[in-house]
Amino acid sequence: MTSIRNFWGDYLLIYLAMIDSEQDELTFINIYEKYRFTIMHTAMLILKDQYLAEDAVHNAFLKVIENLNMFNGLSHSKIKSLITIITKNKAIDILRKENGLLKIPIDTEDYLLTSDEPDPLEALISEQGYNILINCISKLNNLYKPVLELKYIYDYTDIEIARLLDITPQNVNMRIYRAKGMLREMIAREVLAVD
Amino acid sequence: MINQEADGELFETLLRLAVTQNHINEMALIPSENELSNYYSFSSQFNKKIHRLIRKEKYTNAIRFLNKYLVTTAVALAIILVLTFCRIMMVQEVRATVVNVIIEWFDNNTDFRFTNQMVPQESNVLCRPSYIPYNFYEQSVERTGQITTVIYINADKQSIYFIYSPAQAGYSFGVDNDNSYYSLVSINGVDAHLFKAKSKKDSNHLIWQDSDTSFSLISTINYTELIKMAKTIAKK
């Protein structure tokens, strides 16, 4: 255990060398000390490979350093959540590269709910319906879920989300639009199944 | 319309709550940091990898930094140079030296500027010599502002440039003193400045001005031919 801590201590110095202000240094040390293994765990859940997970951990730390100002004033739970979202995104980026998947262009795979499907909103206004919605969100593709989380939990703008996820603001907008479309379709399907 | 808006807002509110709740549920599944520290360690390769990644990141940052500050640095340097030059020029000896260099340059280059106090006006005067040396013909006429340039050429690709403009246009040009002999000649009772070329590869220049037009003839052909042409120039 001690050796791991020493090992991580070396890396902390490397990361700190990249930070300019004292306030940012303290923020980063706090994040690093409290959540480094959570970051590793999140990356491992997606990548299932030590080597790739380490890459994702490193990329996540670089992203945190780039956006340290966004962590100021956040509660511990929100910091942990934000780091988890960033790490998931970095892990998914690596996974997609490994699988040879290209980024989805914003003008393709457009999703539209057909008029024949039942309106899902009516079904949601009940405890059962709300649980269906939560269940659908949990099943949502990892490409779309982080965008919704950053928008609805953190109230970030498209530009801020784009900066955190390394995509364009237009892409953020398109992902939100598609995520909502997918959710409507999933809910409609679930409601039909229940009926 | 109102119903659609209300539906949209309701869906947004439910979605916000559900996304947050789902995220809380997911976070609750992550074991504590202490527990995780018992499960995970980092490979020995990670050290090398992390240094490589940081080197790459630093290189990219360096390029970004260079791009950002290159322009600023160039402007700052330009300002420093100007200020330094001005400061140096305040020293009398240096100023005298610079002035001497400029005078020397003017000694080697004669600058002609035909002008008067009248406001320039658009001129449509057409000037042409009635005499053109044997085998030469008018190849082109170019007009740039108030300056007209007529080019004559012959079969041997020799050329004569006939340039004229209203005197008030302030047309100016320089002649290299080092490669020519200067003399004054008379063109229809007006003094003309003749610069005879010292070698065959250099051009002869004949420059003069009548009451309202300035002329120049430039060519490597014999200067006497230029004088003959000049004497036959008529305005239409």
Side-chain angles (χ1 to χ4, degrees):
Chain A
M1 189 64 215
T2 314
S3 63
I4 291 171
R5 286 200 183 280
N6 288 342
F7 182 81
W8 270 104
D10 290 344
Y11 295 129
L12 179 60
L13 289 176
I14 293 168
Y15 288 120
L16 289 179
M18 300 170 74
I19 302 169
D20 294 332
S21 81
E22 206 173 312
Q23 173 62 40
D24 284 348
E25 256 184 44
L26 290 173
T27 308
F28 185 73
I29 290 169
N30 181 43
I31 292 168
Y32 183 87
E33 290 288 344
K34 285 184 176 160
Y35 309 112
R36 57 184 184 267
F37 291 110
T38 304
I39 293 175
M40 186 62 177
H41 172 71
T42 308
M44 278 295 279
L45 283 179
I46 293 168
L47 294 164
K48 324 256 189 249
D49 177 284
Q50 170 92 8
Y51 184 86
L52 294 177
E54 284 172 356
D55 268 0
V57 170
H58 175 62
N59 291 343
F61 273 127
L62 290 180
K63 187 49 71 179
V64 168
I65 290 170
E66 265 178 50
N67 297 282
L68 273 172
N69 59 321
M70 294 174 92
F71 289 85
N72 291 333
L74 290 182
S75 65
H76 287 307
S77 62
K78 279 208 164 183
I79 289 175
K80 188 176 177 182
S81 297
L82 187 54
I83 289 171
T84 310
I85 294 168
I86 291 171
T87 310
K88 268 187 198 170
N89 186 62
K90 290 294 170 194
I92 290 160
D93 275 353
I94 290 172
L95 190 67
R96 293 173 75 204
K97 274 180 200 163
E98 285 296 306
N99 292 340
L101 296 175
L102 297 171
K103 283 190 176 177
I104 302 166
I106 57 170
D107 55 348
T108 60
E109 290 191 15
D110 232 355
Y111 179 86
L112 283 174
L113 188 68
T114 60
S115 55
D116 299 339
E117 286 167 325
D119 181 8
L121 193 59
E122 222 171 281
L124 291 180
I125 312 169
S126 67
E127 198 180 336
Q128 192 191 7
Y130 180 63
N131 287 334
I132 288 174
L133 178 60
I134 294 172
N135 188 38
C136 291
I137 291 167
S138 72
K139 290 177 189 167
L140 202 60
N141 187 312
N142 272 328
L143 205 61
Y144 301 105
K145 210 194 297 182
V147 184
L148 289 185
E149 288 168 342
L150 292 172
K151 181 180 167 66
Y152 290 116
I153 300 171
Y154 294 88
D155 282 323
Y156 285 152
T157 63
D158 287 358
I159 294 168
E160 287 170 322
I161 297 172
R163 208 163 60 216
L164 282 171
L165 302 184
D166 283 326
I167 54 176
T168 64
Q170 290 86 347
N171 224 316
V172 170
N173 202 284
M174 185 53 73
R175 283 189 191 184
I176 290 169
Y177 171 76
R178 282 184 189 153
K180 286 179 185 174
M182 282 177 185
L183 282 174
R184 281 175 186 275
E185 189 193 31
M186 288 160 81
I187 293 160
R189 225 181 287 139
E190 291 274 334
V191 169
L192 280 176
V194 170
D195 289 346
Chain B
M1 181 64 83
I2 294 167
N3 279 344
Q4 270 185 353
E5 274 179 30
D7 283 357
E9 276 179 34
L10 183 60
F11 183 71
E12 283 289 303
T13 310
L14 285 169
L15 190 58
R16 182 180 292 273
L17 288 170
V19 167
T20 309
Q21 187 57 53
N22 175 67
H23 191 68
I24 290 168
N25 296 347
E26 283 182 359
M27 292 304 292
L29 294 174
I30 299 175
S32 72
E33 187 75 2
N34 275 342
E35 282 178 74
L36 291 171
S37 66
N38 295 323
Y39 304 142
Y40 295 106
S41 61
F42 294 85
S43 70
S44 57
Q45 289 297 310
F46 192 48
N47 188 26
K48 287 178 188 170
K49 198 164 55 184
I50 213 163
H51 277 96
R52 196 173 62 239
L53 287 168
I54 287 170
R55 266 204 307 275
K56 192 179 158 193
E57 181 71 14
K58 278 188 175 173
Y59 175 76
T60 313
N61 283 340
I63 296 291
R64 272 193 223 123
F65 178 85
L66 271 178
N67 283 339
K68 190 176 172 185
Y69 291 103
L70 210 58
V71 175
T72 316
T73 311
V75 171
L77 271 176
I79 292 168
I80 291 165
L81 281 172
V82 168
L83 289 175
T84 310
F85 183 71
C86 291
R87 193 162 177 81
I88 288 169
M89 285 301 284
M90 287 172 78
V91 180
Q92 203 156 0
E93 290 80 4
V94 176
R95 195 166 58 213
T97 308
V98 172
V99 169
N100 282 340
V101 170
I102 294 168
I103 290 168
E104 198 177 318
W105 186 85
F106 271 105
D107 280 347
N108 292 330
N109 294 273
T110 304
D111 185 64
F112 281 85
R113 181 178 289 273
F114 294 111
T115 186
N116 59 27
Q117 300 303 313
M118 291 168 68
V119 178
Q121 288 177 340
E122 191 65 35
S123 169
N124 291 318
V125 176
L126 191 67
C127 302
R128 288 291 185 278
S130 55
Y131 171 77
I132 299 170
Y134 181 69
N135 267 346
F136 276 85
Y137 64 92
E138 190 176 302
Q139 188 221 17
S140 66
V141 180
E142 286 174 21
R143 201 175 156 89
T144 310
Q146 302 234 53
I147 302 164
T148 306
T149 306
V150 186
I151 302 172
Y152 301 92
I153 61 163
N154 66 6
D156 297 330
K157 299 288 178 195
Q158 282 184 295
S159 54
I160 303 168
Y161 288 84
F162 171 47
I163 304 165
Y164 64 93
S165 70
Q168 65 265 29
Y171 167 49
S172 72
F173 48 90
V175 179
D176 184 1
N177 293 358
D178 280 352
N179 296 313
S180 57
Y181 301 108
Y182 172 74
S183 61
L184 270 178
V185 294
S186 178
I187 306 291
N188 302 331
V190 176
D191 279 347
H193 309 273
L194 175 65
F195 294 86
K196 288 183 273 187
K198 285 182 180 175
S199 69
K200 285 191 174 178
K201 65 177 178 151
D202 292 317
S203 295
N204 296 298
H205 290 71
L206 183 62
I207 299 154
W208 74 103
Q209 180 183 12
D210 67 9
S211 57
D212 55 8
T213 311
S214 60
F215 305 94
S216 65
L217 278 162
I218 306 162
S219 180
T220 51
I221 65 165
N222 193 294
Y223 68 92
T224 56
E225 293 289 276
L226 299 184
I227 293 171
K228 273 191 199 174
M229 281 178 76
K231 285 181 177 174
T232 64
I233 286 170
K235 295 176 186 171
K236 294 172 189 171

